[in-house]
Amino acid sequence: MAEALSNELFEELGSSCRGQVYRRGDPGFGDYSTIFNGNVVSHSKAVVCPLDAEDVSKIILFCSKHSLSPSVKAGGYGTAGWAIGGDIIIDVSKLVEVDIEIPKADGSFTSLRDVAAANSKGKQVQQSSTEGSGKRRREEDANLRMYDNASQAVASFLRGPPVLGSATDGPSPSVRRRLEAPGSSSSSLLSAETLSRQISGSSGSSNSELSEGISNSSREQSTSTLGTTPSPPPFTQSSAIDTAPTAHRGFSSPANPFGYLDTPSNLPSAPPPTMLQTPYTQAPPPLTSWTPGPNTNFPSIPGLFEQIQIPAQVEPIYKHAYVTFGAGMRQKEIDIFTAQNKLEANYITGSGDGIPYHVPFAAHPVGSSIMLLGGFGFLSRLHGLSIDNLVEVEMVLADGRIIVVSENEYPDLWWAVRGAGPCFGVATRYKAKAYPVPVVFAGNLLYRFNKATAPSLIKHFRDCVKGAPRELYANILLTAGPAGKDSLMVVQMCYIGSREKGQEYLAAISSWDGEKCLLNEVDEKSFLHQQDSVAQVLRGKGAKYSGRQWFIRSALISSLPDGIVNETVMQFADTPVGCTWLFELAGGAIIDFEDTSVPKSQREASFTIAALHQWEMDVHDDECVDSAEEWIAGTLKPVHIGGPFPSFLGRHELPERTKACFGENWQRLSEIKKFYDPNNLFRNTFWPLDAAGEDVEAHTHEPPTPPFLSTSIRGQKRKIFI
């Protein structure tokens, strides 16, 4: 039975730091002691919300003195529950500051040690610590989890009425055409009239519940044999078409390519994407440090999600900039700030207000600790992982010391924290490189999942992206359900550059004609909008993020052979609703960085793979876990390269898999851990060893699942929580 902190210890902790302390049972404790994975329950005694690194130091010393274990909650989306697994939860949500600076003349930057943190003594505290602040933070989280600005076309499509004339699994359209009567044909795209009806929300359209995904006919299991249609040859320059659509495929109107991004995400379904809208021309805010106030609501910032008109020819003045941010900042908040606070640029033609710079984060949503755990996203193939772009981190060690770790200071720790940082201390501030991203050519191509044709699309994607330039990010994902709806296959691409070059790769990828392309909305857009695209597809297919059961497994693979593609499709056809399987093209600049704890062998992977499974809390479906384990640990095992990137470690990981993330670097990493944290104070992390250096099973350092009884309702296993 979980117990609250004693009165004596509560008073001692409260008097030692300036941040608010919440004991178990206090108002606000529940808001700070839960995570988005509803299948985890905390047994913590108290939560502390430090205001700066000095507060964190005092909390760490308090925990050491009383043999209490700390855990750190940094606003991320880890499924294992380590963030709320300690006796004392250190919630860093008050460490909120962000600033951007240009490089000095010699290319250097202002060190963290030379700039006081926002809430340091002598500075005004940026957010009050009221009882309702935990609830307010959760409300702000909900606002940040609005992802429809990635593409209003996708948002409308995922919530729309059934796709007319959809078929069950069977022959591809190219085969069906030969079976149809003379004169009949099957277009590779929906007609403009049909798609317009879907997007405009005609009769049968769903309400605004995000549980509504693409509303095709119910998925049926096919008895047809699995096809192994050969893929087209890899894309070459000569195969590119001279022009590409300037509006969504299926429409001929040369619409403003940014028009569909203008509508706020909490409004009804968007109008057809051919509707012209006015570009955004408002002047940017002053380039100053920014800290969110107590009532900050990012999506309501005037003009933020209206499209910025980007000139035809603009060159950045600075190769990169430096962004400083507190550990309580979510990466979407940082992206919003840098998108607003653009840096000056050289305009070859026209004029403008500068270029936005972005830190190479993973796609939304993640917390700040991605800077210590890997961080693979749209910019990674061009600029490396998040950890590769970290230049300094302010940390509190197990002995309470506050240090700034960098290439020149604590070099052994600097090597270790870039990949395994949470196991060595509590990060309080970061400084990282950000790069100019004036525009991206990006978006989604949506297809209905058909197990007879799906292998052909995956192979086509694999062959098209072989040898792709570093500027091109691409993935293909398979997502199941929701109940009663067809599953989808989604190809996502993001070319860091303009349409003129990016359309060559779109032409190659979109040339597959094994199924109708239900929607192609790839076009120029801002990087800020693109960052929401993965979450938009996942959320659009599976209701809300928080409060559901989540299970994640990932792997890095060396290749994607035909046999594994075929078996993957057959397995996915039987997965439960809410399962998403993702193939991301890796390589590029990721290979360039070697001086981190993530080894070269992991960096040389061809693809990063993930099974992202979510399902309702009252559903007791073992297949949601088993199907992920069987695919990752079984089907993909022949092409594994060690373990996944550490940021993809999930619940109930075997010690061997965690160690495999670091390959030949594991021994050195263990020695550094023993030096800086000899008593394993930071054990509420993925670290798989105890203080004696022996393996520990996952359940011994993860919080438990909520207790429940199993029952059956209409033949489906259900949970009744005790």
Coordinates of all heavy atoms in Angstrom, one line a residue, residues 583-638:
F583 N 8.1 2.0 -40.3 CA 9.4 1.8 -40.9 C 10.0 3.2 -41.2 O 9.4 3.8 -42.1 CB 9.4 1.0 -42.2 CG 8.8 -0.4 -42.1 CD1 7.4 -0.6 -42.0 CD2 9.6 -1.5 -42.0 CE1 6.8 -1.9 -41.9 CE2 9.0 -2.8 -41.9 CZ 7.7 -3.0 -41.9
E584 N 11.1 3.6 -40.6 CA 11.7 4.9 -40.9 C 13.0 4.7 -41.5 O 13.9 3.9 -41.0 CB 11.9 5.7 -39.6 CG 10.6 6.2 -39.0 CD 10.9 7.1 -37.8 OE1 11.3 6.6 -36.7 OE2 10.7 8.3 -37.9
L585 N 13.3 5.4 -42.6 CA 14.6 5.4 -43.3 C 15.6 6.0 -42.3 O 15.4 7.2 -41.9 CB 14.5 6.2 -44.6 CG 15.8 6.3 -45.4 CD1 16.3 5.0 -45.8 CD2 15.6 7.3 -46.5
A586 N 16.7 5.3 -42.0 CA 17.7 5.9 -41.2 C 18.9 6.3 -42.0 O 18.8 6.7 -43.2 CB 18.1 4.8 -40.1
G587 N 20.1 6.2 -41.4 CA 21.3 6.6 -42.2 C 21.6 8.1 -42.3 O 21.2 8.9 -41.4
G588 N 22.2 8.5 -43.4 CA 22.6 9.9 -43.6 C 23.6 10.4 -42.5 O 24.5 9.7 -42.2
A589 N 23.3 11.6 -42.0 CA 24.3 12.2 -41.1 C 24.4 11.5 -39.7 O 25.3 11.7 -39.0 CB 23.8 13.6 -40.8
I590 N 23.4 10.6 -39.4 CA 23.5 9.8 -38.2 C 24.8 9.1 -38.1 O 25.4 8.9 -37.0 CB 22.3 8.9 -38.1 CG1 21.0 9.7 -38.0 CG2 22.4 8.0 -36.9 CD1 19.7 8.8 -38.2
I591 N 25.3 8.6 -39.2 CA 26.5 7.8 -39.2 C 27.8 8.7 -38.9 O 28.8 8.2 -38.5 CB 26.7 7.2 -40.6 CG1 25.4 6.3 -40.9 CG2 27.9 6.3 -40.7 CD1 25.4 5.8 -42.3
D592 N 27.7 10.0 -39.1 CA 28.8 10.9 -39.0 C 29.3 11.0 -37.5 O 30.5 11.4 -37.3 CB 28.5 12.3 -39.5 CG 28.2 12.2 -41.0 OD1 28.5 11.2 -41.7 OD2 27.6 13.2 -41.5
F593 N 28.4 10.8 -36.6 CA 28.8 11.1 -35.2 C 29.1 9.8 -34.4 O 28.3 8.9 -34.4 CB 27.6 11.8 -34.5 CG 27.2 13.1 -35.1 CD1 26.3 13.1 -36.2 CD2 27.8 14.3 -34.7 CE1 26.0 14.3 -36.8 CE2 27.4 15.5 -35.3 CZ 26.5 15.5 -36.3
E594 N 30.3 9.7 -33.8 CA 30.7 8.5 -33.2 C 31.1 8.7 -31.7 O 31.1 7.7 -30.9 CB 31.9 7.9 -33.9 CG 31.7 7.5 -35.3 CD 32.9 6.8 -36.0 OE1 33.7 6.3 -35.3 OE2 32.9 6.8 -37.2
D595 N 31.3 9.9 -31.3 CA 31.8 10.1 -29.9 C 30.7 10.3 -28.9 O 30.6 11.3 -28.2 CB 32.7 11.3 -29.9 CG 33.5 11.5 -28.5 OD1 33.7 10.4 -27.9 OD2 33.8 12.6 -28.1
T596 N 29.7 9.3 -28.9 CA 28.7 9.3 -27.9 C 28.5 7.8 -27.5 O 29.1 6.9 -28.1 CB 27.3 9.7 -28.5 OG1 26.8 8.8 -29.5 CG2 27.5 11.1 -29.2
S597 N 27.7 7.6 -26.5 CA 27.5 6.2 -26.0 C 26.7 5.4 -27.0 O 26.7 4.1 -26.8 CB 26.9 6.2 -24.6 OG 25.7 6.9 -24.6
V598 N 26.0 6.0 -27.9 CA 25.3 5.2 -29.0 C 26.3 4.8 -30.0 O 26.9 5.7 -30.6 CB 24.2 6.1 -29.6 CG1 23.6 5.3 -30.8 CG2 23.1 6.5 -28.6
P599 N 26.6 3.5 -30.2 CA 27.7 3.1 -31.0 C 27.5 3.2 -32.5 O 26.4 3.4 -33.0 CB 27.9 1.6 -30.6 CG 26.4 1.2 -30.2 CD 25.8 2.4 -29.6
K600 N 28.6 3.1 -33.2 CA 28.6 3.2 -34.6 C 27.8 2.1 -35.2 O 27.1 2.4 -36.2 CB 30.1 3.1 -35.2 CG 30.2 3.3 -36.7 CD 31.6 3.2 -37.1 CE 31.7 3.3 -38.7 NZ 33.1 3.2 -39.1
S601 N 27.8 0.9 -34.7 CA 27.0 -0.2 -35.2 C 25.5 0.2 -35.3 O 24.8 -0.2 -36.2 CB 27.2 -1.4 -34.4 OG 26.8 -1.2 -33.0
Q602 N 25.0 0.8 -34.2 CA 23.6 1.2 -34.2 C 23.3 2.3 -35.3 O 22.3 2.4 -35.9 CB 23.2 1.8 -32.8 CG 23.5 0.8 -31.7 CD 22.8 -0.5 -31.8 OE1 23.3 -1.4 -32.3 NE2 21.6 -0.6 -31.3
R603 N 24.3 3.2 -35.4 CA 24.1 4.3 -36.3 C 24.1 3.9 -37.8 O 23.6 4.7 -38.6 CB 25.2 5.4 -36.1 CG 25.1 6.0 -34.7 CD 26.3 6.9 -34.4 NE 26.1 7.7 -33.2 CZ 25.5 8.8 -33.1 NH1 25.0 9.4 -34.1 NH2 25.4 9.5 -31.9
E604 N 24.6 2.8 -38.1 CA 24.7 2.3 -39.5 C 23.5 1.5 -39.9 O 23.4 1.0 -41.0 CB 25.9 1.4 -39.6 CG 27.3 2.1 -39.5 CD 28.5 1.2 -39.6 OE1 28.3 0.0 -39.3 OE2 29.6 1.7 -39.9
A605 N 22.4 1.5 -39.1 CA 21.2 0.8 -39.4 C 20.6 1.5 -40.7 O 20.7 2.7 -40.9 CB 20.2 0.9 -38.3
S606 N 19.9 0.6 -41.5 CA 19.2 1.1 -42.6 C 17.8 1.7 -42.3 O 17.4 2.7 -42.9 CB 19.0 0.0 -43.7 OG 20.3 -0.4 -44.2
F607 N 17.2 1.1 -41.3 CA 15.8 1.5 -40.9 C 15.7 1.4 -39.4 O 16.3 0.5 -38.8 CB 14.7 0.6 -41.5 CG 14.6 0.7 -43.0 CD1 15.3 -0.1 -43.9 CD2 13.8 1.7 -43.6 CE1 15.2 0.0 -45.2 CE2 13.7 1.8 -45.0 CZ 14.4 0.9 -45.8
T608 N 14.9 2.3 -38.8 CA 14.5 2.2 -37.5 C 13.0 1.7 -37.5 O 12.2 2.3 -38.3 CB 14.7 3.5 -36.6 OG1 14.2 3.3 -35.3 CG2 14.0 4.6 -37.3
I609 N 12.7 0.7 -36.7 CA 11.4 0.1 -36.7 C 10.7 0.3 -35.4 O 11.4 0.3 -34.3 CB 11.5 -1.4 -37.0 CG1 12.4 -1.7 -38.2 CG2 10.2 -2.1 -37.1 CD1 11.8 -1.2 -39.5
A610 N 9.4 0.5 -35.4 CA 8.7 0.7 -34.1 C 7.3 0.1 -34.2 O 6.6 0.2 -35.3 CB 8.6 2.1 -33.7
A611 N 6.9 -0.6 -33.2 CA 5.5 -1.0 -33.0 C 4.9 -0.1 -31.9 O 5.3 -0.2 -30.8 CB 5.4 -2.5 -32.6
L612 N 3.9 0.7 -32.3 CA 3.3 1.6 -31.4 C 1.8 1.2 -31.2 O 1.0 1.4 -32.0 CB 3.3 3.0 -32.0 CG 4.7 3.5 -32.5 CD1 4.6 4.8 -33.3 CD2 5.7 3.7 -31.4
H613 N 1.6 0.6 -30.0 CA 0.3 0.0 -29.8 C -0.4 0.7 -28.6 O 0.1 1.0 -27.6 CB 0.4 -1.5 -29.4 CG 0.9 -2.4 -30.5 ND1 0.8 -3.7 -30.4 CD2 1.4 -2.1 -31.7 CE1 1.3 -4.2 -31.6 NE2 1.7 -3.2 -32.4
Q614 N -1.7 1.0 -28.9 CA -2.5 1.7 -27.9 C -3.9 1.1 -27.9 O -4.5 0.8 -29.0 CB -2.6 3.2 -28.2 CG -3.0 3.6 -29.6 CD -3.2 5.1 -29.8 OE1 -3.9 5.7 -29.0 NE2 -2.7 5.6 -30.9
W615 N -4.5 1.0 -26.7 CA -5.9 0.4 -26.7 C -6.5 0.9 -25.4 O -5.9 1.4 -24.5 CB -5.8 -1.1 -26.8 CG -5.1 -1.9 -25.7 CD1 -5.7 -2.6 -24.6 CD2 -3.7 -2.0 -25.5 NE1 -4.8 -3.1 -23.8 CE2 -3.5 -2.8 -24.3 CE3 -2.6 -1.6 -26.2 CZ2 -2.3 -3.2 -23.9 CZ3 -1.3 -2.0 -25.7 CH2 -1.2 -2.8 -24.6
E616 N -7.9 0.7 -25.3 CA -8.6 1.3 -24.2 C -8.3 0.6 -22.9 O -7.9 -0.6 -22.9 CB -10.1 1.1 -24.5 CG -10.6 1.9 -25.7 CD -10.4 3.4 -25.6 OE1 -10.3 3.9 -24.4 OE2 -10.3 4.1 -26.6
M617 N -8.5 1.3 -21.8 CA -8.1 0.8 -20.5 C -8.9 -0.4 -20.1 O -8.3 -1.3 -19.4 CB -8.3 1.9 -19.4 CG -7.1 2.9 -19.4 SD -5.5 2.2 -19.0 CE -5.8 1.6 -17.3
D618 N -10.1 -0.5 -20.5 CA -10.9 -1.7 -20.0 C -10.8 -2.9 -20.9 O -11.4 -3.9 -20.6 CB -12.4 -1.3 -19.9 CG -13.0 -0.9 -21.2 OD1 -12.3 -0.6 -22.2 OD2 -14.3 -0.8 -21.2
V619 N -10.0 -2.8 -21.9 CA -9.8 -4.0 -22.8 C -8.6 -4.8 -22.3 O -7.5 -4.2 -22.2 CB -9.6 -3.5 -24.3 CG1 -9.3 -4.7 -25.2 CG2 -10.8 -2.8 -24.8
H620 N -8.8 -6.0 -22.1 CA -7.7 -6.9 -21.7 C -7.3 -7.8 -22.9 O -7.8 -8.9 -23.1 CB -8.1 -7.8 -20.6 CG -7.0 -8.6 -20.0 ND1 -7.2 -9.5 -19.0 CD2 -5.7 -8.6 -20.2 CE1 -6.1 -10.1 -18.6 NE2 -5.1 -9.5 -19.4
D621 N -6.5 -7.3 -23.8 CA -6.1 -7.9 -25.0 C -4.6 -8.2 -25.0 O -3.8 -7.4 -25.3 CB -6.5 -7.0 -26.2 CG -6.5 -7.8 -27.5 OD1 -5.8 -8.9 -27.6 OD2 -7.1 -7.3 -28.5
D622 N -4.3 -9.5 -24.8 CA -2.9 -9.9 -24.7 C -2.2 -9.7 -26.1 O -1.0 -9.5 -26.2 CB -2.8 -11.3 -24.3 CG -3.2 -11.6 -22.9 OD1 -3.1 -10.6 -22.1 OD2 -3.6 -12.7 -22.5
E623 N -3.0 -9.7 -27.2 CA -2.5 -9.6 -28.5 C -1.9 -8.2 -28.7 O -1.0 -8.1 -29.6 CB -3.6 -9.8 -29.6 CG -3.8 -11.3 -30.0 CD -2.5 -11.8 -30.6 OE1 -2.1 -11.3 -31.7 OE2 -1.9 -12.8 -30.1
C624 N -2.3 -7.2 -28.0 CA -1.7 -5.9 -28.2 C -0.3 -5.9 -27.8 O 0.5 -5.1 -28.3 CB -2.5 -4.9 -27.3 SG -4.2 -4.6 -27.9
V625 N 0.1 -6.7 -26.8 CA 1.5 -6.9 -26.4 C 2.2 -7.9 -27.2 O 3.3 -7.8 -27.8 CB 1.6 -7.2 -24.9 CG1 3.0 -7.5 -24.5 CG2 1.1 -6.0 -24.1
D626 N 1.5 -9.1 -27.3 CA 2.2 -10.3 -28.0 C 2.5 -10.0 -29.4 O 3.6 -10.4 -29.9 CB 1.3 -11.5 -27.9 CG 1.1 -11.9 -26.4 OD1 1.9 -11.5 -25.6 OD2 0.1 -12.7 -26.2
S627 N 1.6 -9.3 -30.2 CA 1.9 -9.1 -31.6 C 3.1 -8.2 -31.8 O 3.9 -8.4 -32.7 CB 0.6 -8.5 -32.3 OG 0.3 -7.2 -31.6
A628 N 3.3 -7.2 -30.9 CA 4.5 -6.4 -31.0 C 5.7 -7.2 -30.7 O 6.7 -7.1 -31.4 CB 4.4 -5.2 -30.0
E629 N 5.7 -8.0 -29.7 CA 6.9 -8.8 -29.3 C 7.2 -9.8 -30.4 O 8.4 -9.9 -30.7 CB 6.6 -9.5 -28.0 CG 6.4 -8.6 -26.8 CD 7.7 -8.1 -26.2 OE1 8.7 -8.0 -26.9 OE2 7.8 -7.8 -25.0
E630 N 6.2 -10.4 -30.9 CA 6.5 -11.4 -32.0 C 7.1 -10.8 -33.2 O 7.9 -11.4 -33.9 CB 5.1 -12.2 -32.3 CG 4.7 -13.1 -31.2 CD 3.2 -13.5 -31.4 OE1 2.7 -13.2 -32.5 OE2 2.7 -14.2 -30.5
W631 N 6.6 -9.6 -33.6 CA 7.1 -9.0 -34.8 C 8.5 -8.5 -34.6 O 9.4 -8.8 -35.4 CB 6.2 -7.8 -35.2 CG 6.6 -7.1 -36.4 CD1 6.9 -7.7 -37.6 CD2 6.8 -5.7 -36.6 NE1 7.3 -6.7 -38.6 CE2 7.2 -5.5 -38.0 CE3 6.7 -4.6 -35.8 CZ2 7.5 -4.2 -38.5 CZ3 6.9 -3.3 -36.3 CH2 7.3 -3.2 -37.6
I632 N 8.8 -7.8 -33.5 CA 10.1 -7.2 -33.3 C 11.1 -8.3 -32.9 O 12.2 -8.3 -33.5 CB 10.0 -6.1 -32.1 CG1 9.1 -5.0 -32.6 CG2 11.4 -5.7 -31.8 CD1 9.7 -4.1 -33.7
A633 N 10.8 -9.1 -31.9 CA 11.8 -10.1 -31.4 C 11.8 -11.4 -32.3 O 12.8 -12.1 -32.3 CB 11.4 -10.5 -30.0
G634 N 10.8 -11.6 -33.1 CA 10.8 -12.8 -33.9 C 11.0 -12.5 -35.4 O 12.1 -12.8 -35.9
T635 N 10.0 -12.0 -36.0 CA 10.1 -11.8 -37.5 C 11.4 -10.9 -37.9 O 12.1 -11.3 -38.9 CB 8.9 -11.0 -38.0 OG1 7.7 -11.8 -37.6 CG2 8.9 -10.9 -39.5
L636 N 11.7 -9.9 -37.2 CA 12.7 -9.0 -37.5 C 14.1 -9.4 -37.0 O 15.1 -8.8 -37.3 CB 12.4 -7.5 -37.1 CG 11.2 -6.9 -37.7 CD1 10.9 -5.6 -37.0 CD2 11.4 -6.7 -39.2
K637 N 14.1 -10.4 -36.1 CA 15.4 -10.8 -35.5 C 16.6 -11.0 -36.4 O 17.7 -10.6 -36.2 CB 15.2 -12.0 -34.6 CG 16.4 -12.3 -33.8 CD 16.1 -13.5 -32.8 CE 17.4 -13.8 -32.0 NZ 17.1 -14.9 -31.0
P638 N 16.3 -11.7 -37.6 CA 17.5 -11.9 -38.5 C 18.2 -10.7 -39.0 O 19.3 -10.8 -39.4 CB 16.8 -12.7 -39.7 CG 15.6 -13.3 -39.1 CD 15.1 -12.3 -38.1

